[in-house]
């Protein structure tokens, strides 16, 4: 049987929120089978649990925000991406502010934390959402066109194309592909950082965003070049980060997907619309689990890949 997974012991981290700039403590704790991933605002007078789901997404400007009854958690996508990449089903995420810490702007620190805690196999079958029919969402036209699509695939792979007319981005590949069955998330995707442009920073800060952002937790570019002295971590780091984001956004559906995701200039908003469009078409998907490991997609039954 392909089993559900949680972590073995609790683990903690402290950082700042990318947009709020607030100090925040994060505690990741094991959770029982079929709990799913649940964010808990432990700083509120009465702690509020926010289980992830496509419908729990209440804001997608600059980051994915989930909420329940007025309580919110911003910027959940990088931690969710690490959970998707490591195949974790059940986890409590206790948080002392309304934004997940940005750490180094990638999901590598979350992967490190989760792997240090150890992965525990649980006595319950993993429940996948298998896409049976292609579903696509689109926005804009011509130069403003964006789209994202999920299609049937026995496994999970993502292809992302960006289109930034910027010399530093242009000098790298503007597309990337990742297959969870044959690739290694920690090695190929997790270290890709979020990115931004100095010309946008003033506008963002005037709107109370990116207050915690800087060269320690983002690739920052002026009109011509990357300002980080160490340069890029990967070829196609920009496109790889968009895959990292998409894996996090899509994992908010609450189950691992069996699908091929393809996207052109998509973002948090369109990724969430894609999940809602899929769920709205009941003949386009089904729940599946694997009693026999050999029936599972290649690579899915193996233990979590190490660094
Ligand atoms: Zn991101």
């Amino acid at each position: 049987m392909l089993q559900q997974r949680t972590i073995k012991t609790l683990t903690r981290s402290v950082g700042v929120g990318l947009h709020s700039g607030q100090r925040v403590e994060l505690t990741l704790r094991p959770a029982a089978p079929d709990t799913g991933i649940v964010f808990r605002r432990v700083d509120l007078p009465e702690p509020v649990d926010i289980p992830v789901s496509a419908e729990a997404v209440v804001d997608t400007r600059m980051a994915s925000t989930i909420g329940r009854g007025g309580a919110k958690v911003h910027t959940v996508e990088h931690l969710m991406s690490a959970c998707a990449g490591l195949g974790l089903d059940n986890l409590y995420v206790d948080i002392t502010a309304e934004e997940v810490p940005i750490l180094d702007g990638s999901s590598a620190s979350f992967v490190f934390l989760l792997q240090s805690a150890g992965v525990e196999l649980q006595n319950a079958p993993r429940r996948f959402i298998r896409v049976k029919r292609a579903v696509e969402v689109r926005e804009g036209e011509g130069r403003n066109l964006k789209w994202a699509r999920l299609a049937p695939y026995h496994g999970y792979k993502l292809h992302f194309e960006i289109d930034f007319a910027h010399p530093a981005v242009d000098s790298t590949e503007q597309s990337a592909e990742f297959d969870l069955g044959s690739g290694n998330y920690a090695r190929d995707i997790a270290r890709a950082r979020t990115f931004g442009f100095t010309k946008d920073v003033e506008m963002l800060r005037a709107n109370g965003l990116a207050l915690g952002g800087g060269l320690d937790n983002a690739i920052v570019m002026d009109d011509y070049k990357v300002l980080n002295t160490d340069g890029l971590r990967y070829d196609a780091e920009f496109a790889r980060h968009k895959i990292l984001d998409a894996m996090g956004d899509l994992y908010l559906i609450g189950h691992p997907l069996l699908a091929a995701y393809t996207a052109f200039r998509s973002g948090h908003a369109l990724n969430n619309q894609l999940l809602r469009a899929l769920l709205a078409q009941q003949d386009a998907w089904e729940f599946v689990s694997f009693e026999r490991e050999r029936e599972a997609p290649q690579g899915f039954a193996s233990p979590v890949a190490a660094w």
Side-chain angles (χ1 to χ4, degrees), residues 18 62-63 75 77-78 102 105-106 192-195 241-242 244-246 268:
L18 172 64
M62 306 307 296
T75 321
E77 60 269 18
H78 298 168
I102 190 65
S106 75
R193 290 162 295 173
T194 192
F195 53 95
H241 187 79
K242 298 297 280 186
L244 185 159
D245 277 344
H268 305 301

CSV table of all heavy atoms in Angstrom, one decimal, residues 18 62-63 75 77-78 102 105-106 192-195 241-242 244-246 268, ligand 1:
chain,number,residue,atom,x,y,z
A,18,LEU,N,7.8,37.9,4.4
A,18,LEU,CA,8.3,38.7,3.2
A,18,LEU,C,7.5,40.0,3.1
A,18,LEU,O,8.1,41.0,2.9
A,18,LEU,CB,8.1,37.8,1.9
A,18,LEU,CG,8.4,38.5,0.6
A,18,LEU,CD1,9.9,38.9,0.5
A,18,LEU,CD2,8.0,37.6,-0.6
A,62,MET,N,0.3,38.8,-4.9
A,62,MET,CA,1.7,38.6,-4.5
A,62,MET,C,2.0,37.3,-3.9
A,62,MET,O,3.1,36.8,-3.9
A,62,MET,CB,2.2,39.7,-3.6
A,62,MET,CG,1.9,41.1,-4.1
A,62,MET,SD,2.6,41.4,-5.7
A,62,MET,CE,4.4,41.1,-5.4
A,63,ALA,N,1.0,36.6,-3.3
A,63,ALA,CA,1.3,35.3,-2.6
A,63,ALA,C,-0.1,34.6,-2.4
A,63,ALA,O,-1.1,35.2,-2.6
A,63,ALA,CB,1.9,35.6,-1.2
A,75,THR,N,1.2,33.8,2.3
A,75,THR,CA,2.5,33.3,1.8
A,75,THR,C,2.7,31.8,2.2
A,75,THR,O,3.8,31.5,2.8
A,75,THR,CB,3.7,34.2,2.1
A,75,THR,OG1,3.3,35.5,2.0
A,75,THR,CG2,4.9,34.0,1.2
A,77,GLU,N,2.7,29.3,0.1
A,77,GLU,CA,3.1,28.4,-1.1
A,77,GLU,C,4.4,27.7,-1.0
A,77,GLU,O,4.6,26.6,-1.5
A,77,GLU,CB,3.0,29.2,-2.4
A,77,GLU,CG,3.9,30.5,-2.5
A,77,GLU,CD,3.2,31.7,-2.0
A,77,GLU,OE1,2.2,31.6,-1.3
A,77,GLU,OE2,3.7,32.8,-2.4
A,78,HIS,N,5.4,28.4,-0.4
A,78,HIS,CA,6.8,27.7,-0.4
A,78,HIS,C,6.8,26.5,0.6
A,78,HIS,O,7.3,25.5,0.3
A,78,HIS,CB,7.9,28.7,0.0
A,78,HIS,CG,8.0,29.8,-1.0
A,78,HIS,ND1,8.7,30.9,-0.8
A,78,HIS,CD2,7.4,30.0,-2.3
A,78,HIS,CE1,8.7,31.7,-1.9
A,78,HIS,NE2,7.8,31.2,-2.8
A,102,ILE,N,9.7,33.9,5.3
A,102,ILE,CA,10.2,33.7,4.0
A,102,ILE,C,11.5,33.0,3.9
A,102,ILE,O,11.9,32.4,2.9
A,102,ILE,CB,10.4,35.1,3.3
A,102,ILE,CG1,10.6,35.0,1.8
A,102,ILE,CG2,11.4,36.0,4.0
A,102,ILE,CD1,9.6,34.4,1.0
A,105,GLY,N,13.8,32.6,0.8
A,105,GLY,CA,13.0,32.9,-0.4
A,105,GLY,C,12.8,31.7,-1.3
A,105,GLY,O,12.2,31.8,-2.4
A,106,SER,N,13.3,30.5,-0.9
A,106,SER,CA,13.0,29.3,-1.6
A,106,SER,C,12.3,28.3,-0.7
A,106,SER,O,11.8,28.7,0.4
A,106,SER,CB,14.3,28.7,-2.1
A,106,SER,OG,15.0,28.0,-1.0
A,192,ALA,N,15.4,27.1,-5.7
A,192,ALA,CA,15.0,28.3,-6.6
A,192,ALA,C,14.3,29.4,-5.8
A,192,ALA,O,13.3,29.1,-5.1
A,192,ALA,CB,14.2,27.8,-7.8
A,193,ARG,N,14.9,30.6,-5.8
A,193,ARG,CA,14.3,31.7,-5.0
A,193,ARG,C,13.3,32.5,-5.7
A,193,ARG,O,13.3,32.6,-7.0
A,193,ARG,CB,15.5,32.6,-4.6
A,193,ARG,CG,16.4,32.0,-3.6
A,193,ARG,CD,17.7,32.8,-3.6
A,193,ARG,NE,18.4,32.7,-4.9
A,193,ARG,CZ,19.5,33.4,-5.2
A,193,ARG,NH1,20.0,34.2,-4.4
A,193,ARG,NH2,20.1,33.2,-6.4
A,194,THR,N,12.5,33.1,-4.9
A,194,THR,CA,11.5,34.1,-5.5
A,194,THR,C,12.4,35.3,-6.0
A,194,THR,O,13.5,35.4,-5.7
A,194,THR,CB,10.6,34.6,-4.3
A,194,THR,OG1,9.5,35.3,-4.9
A,194,THR,CG2,11.3,35.4,-3.3
A,195,PHE,N,11.7,36.1,-6.9
A,195,PHE,CA,12.5,37.2,-7.5
A,195,PHE,C,11.7,38.4,-7.6
A,195,PHE,O,10.5,38.4,-7.6
A,195,PHE,CB,13.1,36.8,-8.9
A,195,PHE,CG,12.0,36.2,-9.8
A,195,PHE,CD1,11.4,37.0,-10.8
A,195,PHE,CD2,11.7,34.9,-9.8
A,195,PHE,CE1,10.5,36.5,-11.7
A,195,PHE,CE2,10.7,34.4,-10.7
A,195,PHE,CZ,10.1,35.2,-11.6
A,241,HIS,N,11.5,28.5,-10.0
A,241,HIS,CA,10.8,29.0,-8.9
A,241,HIS,C,9.3,29.1,-9.2
A,241,HIS,O,8.5,28.8,-8.3
A,241,HIS,CB,11.2,30.4,-8.4
A,241,HIS,CG,10.5,30.8,-7.2
A,241,HIS,ND1,10.9,30.4,-5.9
A,241,HIS,CD2,9.4,31.6,-7.0
A,241,HIS,CE1,10.1,30.8,-5.0
A,241,HIS,NE2,9.2,31.6,-5.6
A,242,LYS,N,8.9,29.3,-10.4
A,242,LYS,CA,7.5,29.3,-10.8
A,242,LYS,C,6.9,27.9,-10.7
A,242,LYS,O,5.8,27.7,-10.3
A,242,LYS,CB,7.3,29.9,-12.2
A,242,LYS,CG,7.7,31.3,-12.4
A,242,LYS,CD,6.9,32.3,-11.5
A,242,LYS,CE,5.6,32.6,-12.1
A,242,LYS,NZ,4.9,33.6,-11.3
A,244,LEU,N,8.1,25.7,-8.4
A,244,LEU,CA,8.1,25.6,-7.0
A,244,LEU,C,6.7,26.2,-6.5
A,244,LEU,O,6.0,25.6,-5.7
A,244,LEU,CB,9.3,26.3,-6.4
A,244,LEU,CG,9.5,26.2,-4.8
A,244,LEU,CD1,11.0,26.5,-4.6
A,244,LEU,CD2,8.7,27.2,-4.0
A,245,ASP,N,6.5,27.4,-6.9
A,245,ASP,CA,5.2,28.1,-6.5
A,245,ASP,C,4.0,27.3,-6.9
A,245,ASP,O,3.0,27.1,-6.1
A,245,ASP,CB,5.1,29.5,-7.2
A,245,ASP,CG,5.9,30.6,-6.4
A,245,ASP,OD1,6.2,30.4,-5.2
A,245,ASP,OD2,6.1,31.6,-7.0
A,246,ALA,N,4.0,26.8,-8.2
A,246,ALA,CA,2.8,26.1,-8.7
A,246,ALA,C,2.6,24.8,-7.9
A,246,ALA,O,1.4,24.5,-7.5
A,246,ALA,CB,3.0,25.8,-10.2
A,268,HIS,N,-0.3,32.9,-8.7
A,268,HIS,CA,-1.1,32.3,-7.7
A,268,HIS,C,-2.6,32.3,-8.0
A,268,HIS,O,-3.4,31.4,-7.7
A,268,HIS,CB,-0.9,33.1,-6.4
A,268,HIS,CG,0.6,33.1,-6.0
A,268,HIS,ND1,1.3,31.9,-5.8
A,268,HIS,CD2,1.5,34.1,-5.9
A,268,HIS,CE1,2.6,32.3,-5.6
A,268,HIS,NE2,2.7,33.6,-5.6
B,1,LIG,ZN1,7.3,32.0,-4.7
